[in-house]
Amino acid sequence: RRRHTRFKCDWSSDVCSSDLFTLMNLCCGFYAMMMHSMSIQPDKTIDGTIANWALGALLVSFGCDFLDGWFARRKNQATAFGERLDSLADLTSFGTAPMFFALSARREWEVGLLVACALYLVCGAVRLARYDPESQGKIFRGMPIPIAGLMLASFTVATRNSAVAWFDPTKIGRA
């Protein structure tokens, strides 16, 4: 008679405690996209309170991104798995979510906006794929995707329902 063995996961070698911050980063990015999609009203305006919750989720995600790296270095738990997981979480929270904010802030989608958002996402993914913390040492070239993502999301939320040249060039100079 054969006994069934349960699947055993060796948490000590696969997932470190610092990776829990990375997973929180990922969940906050998803929550931000969900909240921002709920903020869009039937008349295509954006409910500011809900949109602010979405931006707050991105700020929490940013904090978790900082803490996962700090905790991994402090506890000497930096792993290749953790680095890959961090890149995936960063692409979700600071690549996809801000791009989603920018797309949903516009009342009608235009080809230029779609191309710009796709280009932002592709550049963020390539940046994360090329960045190797060990080979660069203390020198950091380029803008990290968390900073770029927070800038894009903050700009989008701050300019909701207003006539800003980036969103509607036909309203420049009008009150």
Side-chain angles (χ1 to χ4, degrees):
R1 196 167 197 191
R2 188 173 181 181
R3 286 182 104 185
H4 292 282
T5 58
R6 291 183 171 212
F7 173 75
K8 292 184 180 180
C9 180
D10 185 9
W11 285 93
S12 63
S13 66
D14 291 338
V15 179
C16 298
S17 53
S18 61
D19 294 334
L20 296 177
F21 287 108
T22 305
L23 294 173
M24 287 174 54
N25 172 4
L26 179 68
C27 291
C28 286
F30 172 72
Y31 180 76
M33 287 186 283
M34 183 187 69
M35 289 303 289
H36 201 274
S37 67
M38 290 173 54
S39 73
I40 302 169
Q41 303 299 312
D43 62 350
K44 295 188 179 179
T45 59
I46 295 177
D47 180 356
T49 305
I50 299 174
N52 287 340
W53 276 100
L55 186 59
L58 278 185
L59 289 173
V60 171
S61 184
F62 184 77
C64 289
D65 185 47
F66 171 78
L67 286 174
D68 71 353
W70 179 82
F71 199 80
R73 286 186 298 274
R74 180 100 169 147
K75 297 289 185 178
N76 199 20
Q77 293 179 337
T79 62
F81 174 79
E83 288 179 17
R84 288 191 298 266
L85 186 63
D86 185 56
S87 290
L88 290 172
D90 285 353
L91 187 60
T92 300
S93 297
F94 307 114
T96 308
M99 179 207 54
F100 182 75
F101 282 27
L103 280 175
S104 60
R106 190 77 169 130
R107 287 172 177 71
E108 60 273 335
W109 290 5
E110 298 169 355
V111 175
L113 181 63
L114 291 172
V115 169
C117 286
L119 185 63
Y120 170 78
L121 186 62
V122 167
C123 288
V126 169
R127 173 73 175 104
L128 286 169
R130 293 187 74 191
Y131 176 65
D132 180 17
E134 292 179 10
S135 67
Q136 289 193 357
K138 294 189 184 256
I139 299 171
F140 193 89
R141 293 192 177 109
M143 180 180 286
I145 195 168
I147 302 296
L150 283 178
M151 287 174 56
L152 178 60
S154 299
F155 179 75
T156 303
V157 171
T159 58
R160 64 182 174 268
N161 299 329
S162 66
V164 174
W166 187 75
F167 285 102
D168 194 355
T170 62
K171 294 186 179 181
I172 295 175
R174 296 184 194 172

